[in-house]
Amino acid sequence: MITFAPDLVINRYMAEIVTQENQEKKSLNFIEQIVEQDLAEGKNGGRIQTRFPPEPNGYLHIGHAKAICMDFGIAERYGGICNLRFDDTNPTKENVEYVDAIMEDIRWLGFQWANVFYASDYFQQLWDFAVELIKEGKAYIDEQPQEVILSQKGTPTQPGIESPYRNRPMEENLALFEKMNSGELEEGSMVLRAKIDMSHNNMLFRDPIIYRIVKTPHHRTGDKWKAYPMYDFAHGQSDFFEGVTHSLCTLEFVPHRPLYDLFIDWLKKGEDLDDNRPKQREFNKLNLNYTLLSKRNLLSLVQNNMVDGWDDPRMPTICGYRRRGYTPEAIKLFVDKIGYTLYDALNDMALMEAACREDLNRRATRVSAVIDPVKLIVTNYPEDKVELLDAINNPEDPEAGTHQIAFSRELWIEREDFMEEAPKKYFRLTPGQEVRLKNAYIVLCTGCKKDAEGRVEEIYCECIPNTKTGESESNRRVRGTIHWVSIAHAVQAEVRLYDRLWLVENPRDELARLRETGLDVVDAMKQMMNPNSLEVRPCCYVEEFLADAQPLDHFQFQRIGYFCTDKSSTPDHLVFNRTVSLKDSFKPKG
Ligand code: ATP
Ligand code: MG
């Protein structure tokens, strides 16, 4: 059996190395190389067909995005097709909500499948094939309990023990297989096993279970079936029935590949398939630090209300990233940067955030928002005067134009942009210092007023005439620029600031470790969770331009970060999610 290094390598620089290499060779990733070679050799008649095969047992996460980019990307690049196939062989965990969500997320990422198929489309064909195997003496019904079957498997260095039912007469096997599907048997009371080799060095060949009884109704076939094929007995055959040429999956399936090939050989009974059979090839899974993937874990978070649903902006689901403000382009850029390799690694979340900034920098409209407001009064500015000033929407994109912002005597600014007594290198507001108010005047700070507790209530400044952009004094030298919004014109908004959901760099391994100490999933997760992963600021002020911001609109709150209008936002109650800060300010704890 093939095994992989159990410890993940921290892979901070991998992305750069991979992309550099790719650029140098203008090179193909190793899967593309395989595909090109197959095309050159005329395999499968020059056809390319892939599939993306999710199990509809949860929402897609960022790891799936990597597989999607590969499956759809290969088809696109080589003029082939990619189908969506739901691997729905386990009715207890699957449902239509997940099917719909998976489709929505793939479309949002910008991919379109040629056909939608379901493994359940092939239940009859798979059943017939299993019957065929029984008749050929290649499968038998085992009535031993699961634990016993497991205990007879042996170890990689020791052969397994043959089941006492292994040589049951064919007729008996056929009758019992029918019975497995009739509803009269309890789950777990018997299974169908392929008869291969109990001492094979690939443990998966030691008479694998290929059918089991499940009595939960199926989301598509209802209660028609009670006997369901196992993954290994469904996946390769489904690929074969559909005409898949390249069945791309992740590295944990490497040991399954020989079984995948064997079942297809059995299916075609020795017919020469060399140039016309699906080929399973494997690439590394995406693992991200400070991120827990796996639908099963994410489902626990949702079911135990530890997050605000599958699309909580802290979730690593595709819909979570969408709600958080990531774009499909940012996700694809990230996947591109990390590349595909033949070994498992742990990628740095900072790479994902950098890809997001790179993309949003190109598309986000620059606006002013104050998320920790304190009042600034321009004492020499007339009380009833309002000026409309031009603000550039996006310096990276001249075509994005400008919008207007109102300037008046009373403004909101960030509390941290004032210090009554400031150190030397503090270039923001402090009495006696001049500062530029972004898009407006240079002002001289003159002082502040404090409440009984000594907290600053109001800050005062004087506007220096003719210092607006383009005016005679505008080139006057100042070290700092701060943002502001006019109090009379600002709109109140709720701002949600997110941080990492997990305190530990490798939550997957930490969760496993805590579970081993006897903790249940919820308690273990609670120990690992960042208690400050969400900070809600109910009373922020944003410029008027944002009053009709629509859900999923992207903005750069100048000097603060990239933000996205939340799906719950309305004109009466604006809500913005911080997608990512402007710079990487994260410091690992400890
Ligand atoms: P999970 O454990 O999160 O449920 P899974 O592998 O069971 O993941 P499936 O729906 O069975 O999820 O997988 C659909 C496809 O996505 C498979 O081809 C699988 O290899 C791929 N995939 C799943 N997780 C990742 C990941 N982290 N990185 C890359 N590909 C992944
Ligand atoms: Mg799964």
Side-chain angles (χ1 to χ4, degrees), residues 303-357:
Q303 280 178 337
N304 295 295
N305 299 314
M306 296 165 89
V307 291
D308 178 23
W310 285 98
D311 68 347
D312 185 303
R314 292 166 297 176
M315 287 282 268
T317 48
I318 295 181
C319 56
Y321 279 115
R322 173 164 69 230
R323 186 167 162 202
R324 173 96 171 232
Y326 276 69
T327 61
E329 291 78 7
I331 292 174
K332 288 191 252 188
L333 185 62
F334 168 65
V335 169
D336 220 42
K337 279 178 195 256
I338 56 172
Y340 296 87
T341 66
L342 278 165
Y343 54 88
D344 275 319
L346 188 61
N347 285 113
D348 195 337
M349 188 63 201
L351 289 172
M352 172 100 181
E353 293 175 347
C356 183
R357 285 186 199 101

Side-chain angles (χ1 to χ4, degrees), residues 489-543:
H489 304 88
V491 184
Q492 193 180 323
E494 175 179 325
V495 167
R496 299 178 184 166
L497 304 174
Y498 299 98
D499 199 347
R500 295 165 203 240
L501 189 54
W502 305 105
L503 293 169
V504 293
E505 176 146 37
N506 188 341
R508 187 193 70 179
D509 290 359
E510 179 64 5
L511 184 62
R513 194 189 66 76
L514 289 171
R515 294 298 308 275
E516 268 175 28
T517 68
L519 285 181
D520 72 20
V521 157
V522 174
D523 288 336
M525 283 181 168
K526 278 186 184 153
Q527 280 203 15
M528 299 160 44
M529 242 180 162
N530 177 3
N532 305 314
S533 61
L534 168 62
E535 184 190 342
V536 177
R537 303 250 179 120
C539 189
C540 302
Y541 293 100
V542 299
E543 60 169 282

